[in-house]
Structure formats: structure tokens, C-alpha cells
């Protein structure tokens, strides 16, 4: 974020801009922008994109690049991006590096998501009161989480 001095200098230019100049000020934290600057701006509050829109664009990108992908993999990516196309494309790049085809399993590995079958197995182990198997599965889950955190921090 700019200092108050920098905002004041920018304000002077905003008040008397050259005719050929247009400013675009983008921020995720508008409350930190001084009111004197905000009063001279048009504000557009952008919403996160719908997962369906992200899914459509990912499908379009993969079609153009001739990269095969499982529909479930793209659904997982579009939900994980939480409305950010930039994040979706970044995650897609990570998945594409790991395999020639973007699969749901690859996406789960990149995101650190435990598959449903693994969770079902944990529930079955708990239901059987098989403490050893349940702890073994939980240990695998924790190790995957640690590896994911180690590589993303």
C-alpha cells in the first residue's frame, strides 16, 4: 500500500490529470485508500466467479491445448479455486506438470485432498473398532498434510 505522502502526490495528479491519461487503481483493501482518493474514483466491486464459469474456462483452455482431463478433475479444480480464475489456472498448471492427463487423483494430490474411498476405509475401520487400521490411515493423512504444507510454504 502507498504511504500518505505517495497518496497525496497521486491525488494532485488525479485532480489535474493530463488529457491522455487514465488511471486504473486496483486493490483488495479499499478501506486503506484515503477518502480523498476514493472520492475521485469509480468503484467496481468484483465478485468471485461461479464454479461453473471457472469449469467452462478450464475446459476451453484444455481443449485449445489438446490436454485430456477427467470431468471430475476439473470440477475439483473449479471448486478449489474459490472463484479465482488465476488460482484455477495456476492449479491446472501444477496438475499438468505432474501428468500428461489431468486426473481427479492428480488434482487430489496437488490439493492434498483425501479421496472418498480412503475416508470410507477410515469409517469402516472405526466401525470395526480396528484401532490399528484407523490410526494407520490417520497417520497417512497427517503425513500427506505435512508434505503438502512443507512444499507450499
Amino acid at each position: 500500500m502507498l504511504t500518505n505522502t505517495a497518496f497525496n502526490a497521486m491525488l494532485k495528479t488525479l485532480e489535474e490529470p493530463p488529457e491522455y491519461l487514465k488511471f486504473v487503481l486496483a486493490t483488495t483493501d479499499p478501506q486503506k485508500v484515503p477518502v480523498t482518493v476514493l472520492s475521485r474514483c469509480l468503484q467496481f466491486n468484483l465478485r468471485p466467479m461461479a464454479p461453473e464459469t471457472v469449469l467452462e474456462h478450464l475446459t476451453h483452455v484444455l481443449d485449445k491445448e489438446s490436454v485430456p482431463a477427467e470431468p471430475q478433475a476439473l470440477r475439483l479444480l473449479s471448486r478449489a479455486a474459490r472463484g479465482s480464475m488465476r488460482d484455477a489456472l495456476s492449479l491446472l498448471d501444477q496438475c499438468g506438470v505432474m501428468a500428461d492427463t489431468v486426473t481427479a487423483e492428480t488434482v487430489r494430490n496437488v490439493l492434498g485432498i483425501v479421496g472418498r474411498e480412503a475416508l470410507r476405509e477410515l469409517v469402516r475401520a472405526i466401525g470395526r473398532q480396528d484401532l490399528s487400521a484407523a490410526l494407520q490411515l490417520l497417520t497417512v493423512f497427517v503425513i500427506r498434510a505435512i508434505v503438502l504444507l512443507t512444499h507450499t510454504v
Side-chain angles (χ1 to χ4, degrees):
M1 196 52 65
L2 299 175
T3 64
N4 280 337
T5 307
F7 271 122
N8 287 334
M10 186 174 79
L11 184 59
K12 184 169 179 111
T13 306
L14 283 173
E15 288 173 340
E16 300 172 19
E19 197 171 302
Y20 59 86
L21 188 63
K22 301 289 182 213
F23 283 98
V24 176
L25 177 63
T27 181
T28 56
D29 211 358
Q31 59 271 15
K32 289 189 178 177
V33 178
V35 175
T36 52
V37 173
L38 283 176
S39 67
R40 290 162 176 80
C41 298
L42 290 174
Q43 286 190 27
F44 298 97
N45 296 318
L46 305 176
R47 296 183 318 256
M49 298 176 81
E52 298 79 23
T53 306
V54 174
L55 177 67
E56 288 173 15
H57 188 67
L58 292 178
T59 303
H60 175 74
V61 168
L62 291 172
D63 287 345
K64 288 283 187 192
E65 298 293 326
S66 301
V67 176
E70 295 176 356
Q72 178 62 25
L74 297 181
R75 281 192 293 276
L76 286 169
L77 283 172
S78 64
R79 281 196 309 256
R82 296 186 326 216
S84 170
M85 186 60 71
R86 182 184 61 194
D87 290 352
L89 291 171
S90 175
L91 289 169
L92 182 61
D93 283 344
Q94 291 177 40
C95 293
V97 168
M98 293 180 66
D100 294 333
T101 301
V102 180
T103 65
E105 186 60 30
T106 303
V107 173
R108 283 188 196 98
N109 287 336
V110 166
L111 297 175
I113 296 173
V114 177
R116 287 184 177 160
E117 189 52 42
L119 289 175
R120 284 187 192 110
E121 186 58 37
L122 176 61
V123 170
R124 283 188 214 112
I126 292 170
R128 292 190 311 266
Q129 296 182 348
D130 185 351
L131 183 61
S132 176
L135 287 175
Q136 188 175 7
L137 285 165
L138 285 172
T139 301
V140 170
F141 296 169
V142 169
I143 289 171
R144 284 184 71 182
I146 289 171
V147 168
L148 180 69
L149 289 173
T150 303
H151 292 306
T152 56
V153 174

